[in-house]
């Protein structure tokens, strides 16, 4: 079949293999043309769309504004490209002093830095899994999940597991990339990773959540996306100590059997199962210290056009710290 859009010609091939018909769409369509095409096809029959060309990533464009509808990973890659442009010259200068004999010319140094930056940019591995769930009422449901490993330059890969209905491959890839950058900035020896399962945990019973979590752990372990020194998940949105203890138990009883460090396959476990104190409030304390530094540094505030009253900053800082202190004491009482 053939469809025409302003300035573009689109020929669509249909595979006659009912009940599913696949429409192959050239990858050079802009978003408005693709939306028009989808609307036209949807009015005729139910189908799935598969692009015949890879999407042009934001890292390969001048800026994210050029993409009509950028996703999360596009945005992260665009910012990454901008960051590279700021540090590239300094990295070349560093090679002049650190490796004067390995790279003898500026052209060789520039090519090396550019190559390393290209290696860091993509998400190395993406695992997609789907598996059936028998719910408490007997109904069958298919659960979908993702695990992205952005970089293995330092092991293990580290990143949380989130439960949310809007989880996508782009989202977990973007969060995995940000995890790599965060670890590198503070010199923590981990590569970035992130996982997500497309569910709303509020719609499932505890028994169903345990089934989902344990099965997802098995799927990760089978593909070597879970294990001490390999890939270590953590709690994220919609998950906590309970889910981490299920994952650790599943791994220890299966692929980690006989490994004395098997429970190190996850962090964020309960204290009674090898967890550490302060894990729950760690993110909040990080926010407190970052906010305190920002509010108490007049030069930083001025650089972003912010004027903060010193007394207000002190009151705000004390309030945040008090909340965190109460939370820590409550956690300690619960553990006792």
């Amino acid at each position: 079949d053939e469809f025409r859009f302003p300035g573009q010609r689109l020929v669509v091939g249909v595979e006659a293999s009912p009940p599913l018909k696949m429409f192959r769409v050239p990858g050079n369509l802009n978003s408005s043309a693709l939306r028009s095409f989808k609307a036209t096809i949807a009015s005729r029959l139910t189908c799935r769309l598969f692009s015949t060309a890879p999407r042009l990533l934001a890292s390969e464009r001048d800026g994210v504004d050029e993409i009509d509808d950028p996703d999360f990973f596009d945005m992260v890659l665009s910012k990454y490209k901008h960051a590279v442009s700021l540090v590239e010259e300094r990295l070349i200068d560093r090679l002049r002093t650190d490796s004067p004999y390995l790279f003898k010319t500026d052209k060789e140094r520039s090519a090396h830095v550019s190559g390393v930056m290209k290696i860091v940019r993509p998400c190395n591995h993406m695992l997609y899994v789907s598996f059936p769930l028998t719910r408490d009422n007997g109904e069958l449901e298919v659960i979908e999940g993702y695990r992205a490993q952005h970089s293995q330059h330092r092991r293990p890969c580290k990143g949380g597991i989130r439960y949310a209905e809007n989880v996508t491959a782009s989202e977990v890839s973007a969060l995995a990339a940000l995890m790599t950058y965060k670890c590198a900035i503070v010199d923590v020896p981990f590569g970035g990773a992130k996982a997500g399962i497309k569910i709303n945990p509020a719609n499932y019973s505890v028994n169903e959540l345990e089934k989902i979590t344990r099965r997802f752990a098995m799927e990760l372990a089978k593909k070597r996306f879970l294990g001490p020194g390999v890939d270590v998940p953590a709690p994220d949105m919609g998950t906590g100590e309970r889910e981490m203890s299920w994952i650790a138990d599943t791994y220890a009883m299966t692929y980690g059997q006989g490994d004395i460090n098997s429970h190190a396959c996850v962090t964020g476990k309960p204290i009674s199962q090898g967890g550490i104190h302060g894990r729950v409030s760690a993110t909040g304390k990080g926010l407190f210290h970052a906010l305190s530094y920002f509010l108490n540094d007049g030069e930083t505030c001025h650089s972003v056009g912010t004027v903060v009253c010193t007394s207000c900053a002190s009151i705000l800082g004390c309030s945040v710290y008090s909340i965190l202190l109460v939370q820590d004491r409550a956690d300690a009482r619960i553990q006792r």
Side-chain angles (χ1 to χ4, degrees), residues 226-291:
L226 176 66
V230 178
D231 194 341
V232 180
D236 202 285
M237 184 175 67
T239 59
E241 294 180 344
R242 179 183 64 184
E243 287 75 18
M244 298 304 106
S245 65
W246 289 336
I247 294 174
D249 180 66
T250 301
Y251 181 81
M253 295 297 104
T254 54
Y255 289 88
Q257 188 177 17
D259 184 358
I260 193 173
N261 298 314
S262 60
H263 276 72
C265 66
V266 292
T267 58
K269 299 180 292 290
I271 300 298
S272 60
Q273 297 185 37
I276 61 173
H277 291 284
R279 170 65 179 79
V280 175
S281 57
T283 304
K285 286 183 177 178
L287 173 63
F288 163 72
H289 289 296
L291 189 61

Side-chain angles (χ1 to χ4, degrees), residues 185-238:
I185 288 170
V186 298
D187 199 22
V188 174
F190 300 140
K194 186 65 77 171
I197 300 181
K198 297 184 68 170
I199 62 170
N200 181 356
N203 296 336
Y204 296 83
S205 67
V206 174
N207 179 54
E208 292 168 341
L209 289 173
E210 182 174 0
K211 287 181 181 180
I212 294 170
T213 304
R214 289 184 180 273
R215 177 61 185 271
F216 187 58
M218 286 292 295
E219 296 296 329
L220 295 180
K222 284 192 294 186
K223 302 297 184 182
R224 294 289 291 168
F225 274 70
L226 176 66
V230 178
D231 194 341
V232 180
D236 202 285
M237 184 175 67

Side-chain angles (χ1 to χ4, degrees), residues 80 111-124 150-153 180-181:
Y80 172 79
H112 178 72
V113 170
S114 178
V116 171
M117 295 299 100
K118 289 178 181 178
I119 292 172
V120 176
R121 183 178 61 195
C123 187
N124 288 356
H150 176 260
S151 177
Q152 291 88 12
H153 73 291
T180 295
Y181 307 150

Side-chain angles (χ1 to χ4, degrees), residues 15-311:
E15 288 190 358
S17 55
L20 175 64
K21 292 182 173 62
M22 294 186 293
F23 292 76
R24 290 189 170 87
V25 184
N28 60 348
L29 287 180
N30 58 40
S31 61
S32 60
L34 187 58
R35 282 195 296 268
S36 301
F37 168 71
K38 287 181 178 180
T40 305
I41 292 296
S43 65
R44 300 188 181 185
L45 76 166
T46 302
C47 65
R48 295 182 183 179
L49 300 178
F50 299 88
S51 175
T52 58
R55 183 176 183 182
L56 189 61
L57 297 177
S59 58
E60 300 167 340
R61 299 180 180 228
D62 293 332
V64 72
D65 294 335
E66 294 184 14
I67 303 178
D68 295 324
D69 186 18
D71 59 24
F72 193 5
F73 195 38
D74 285 329
M75 297 177 188
V76 170
L77 291 177
S78 177
K79 297 299 181 183
Y80 172 79
K81 182 179 179 180
H82 177 63
V84 168
S85 68
L86 297 176
V87 301
E88 196 165 12
E89 287 299 324
R90 279 182 284 177
L91 293 175
I92 294 173
D93 291 338
R94 186 171 178 177
L95 285 179
R96 290 193 184 100
T97 56
D98 293 352
S99 305
Y101 302 107
L102 185 60
F103 305 101
K104 296 183 178 180
T105 66
D106 283 346
K107 184 177 181 180
E108 291 178 351
R109 298 184 189 103
S110 178
H112 178 72
V113 170
S114 178
V116 171
M117 295 299 100
K118 289 178 181 178
I119 292 172
V120 176
R121 183 178 61 195
C123 187
N124 288 356
H125 296 150
M126 168 62 73
L127 175 67
Y128 166 79
V129 300
S130 64
F131 52 85
L133 168 70
T134 303
R135 304 203 61 171
D136 294 341
N137 60 5
E139 293 181 359
L140 288 175
E141 182 177 329
V142 176
I143 304 297
E144 296 178 292
Y146 305 91
R147 180 67 173 179
Q149 293 179 346
H150 176 260
S151 177
Q152 291 88 12
H153 73 291
R154 304 180 87 172
R155 302 293 289 270
C157 295
K158 193 77 183 71
I161 299 178
R162 55 176 46 201
Y163 289 178
E165 289 181 313
N166 59 350
V167 166
T168 63
S170 171
E171 180 185 50
V172 295
S173 297
L175 293 172
L178 293 175
M179 192 68 183
T180 295
Y181 307 150
K182 288 188 292 182
C183 291
I185 288 170
V186 298
D187 199 22
V188 174
F190 300 140
K194 186 65 77 171
I197 300 181
K198 297 184 68 170
I199 62 170
N200 181 356
N203 296 336
Y204 296 83
S205 67
V206 174
N207 179 54
E208 292 168 341
L209 289 173
E210 182 174 0
K211 287 181 181 180
I212 294 170
T213 304
R214 289 184 180 273
R215 177 61 185 271
F216 187 58
M218 286 292 295
E219 296 296 329
L220 295 180
K222 284 192 294 186
K223 302 297 184 182
R224 294 289 291 168
F225 274 70
L226 176 66
V230 178
D231 194 341
V232 180
D236 202 285
M237 184 175 67
T239 59
E241 294 180 344
R242 179 183 64 184
E243 287 75 18
M244 298 304 106
S245 65
W246 289 336
I247 294 174
D249 180 66
T250 301
Y251 181 81
M253 295 297 104
T254 54
Y255 289 88
Q257 188 177 17
D259 184 358
I260 193 173
N261 298 314
S262 60
H263 276 72
C265 66
V266 292
T267 58
K269 299 180 292 290
I271 300 298
S272 60
Q273 297 185 37
I276 61 173
H277 291 284
R279 170 65 179 79
V280 175
S281 57
T283 304
K285 286 183 177 178
L287 173 63
F288 163 72
H289 289 296
L291 189 61
S292 296
Y293 175 82
F294 176 78
L295 294 177
N296 290 312
D297 189 341
E299 184 178 350
T300 304
C301 291
H302 180 72
S303 66
V304 296
T306 304
V307 179
V308 180
C309 173
T310 304
S311 59

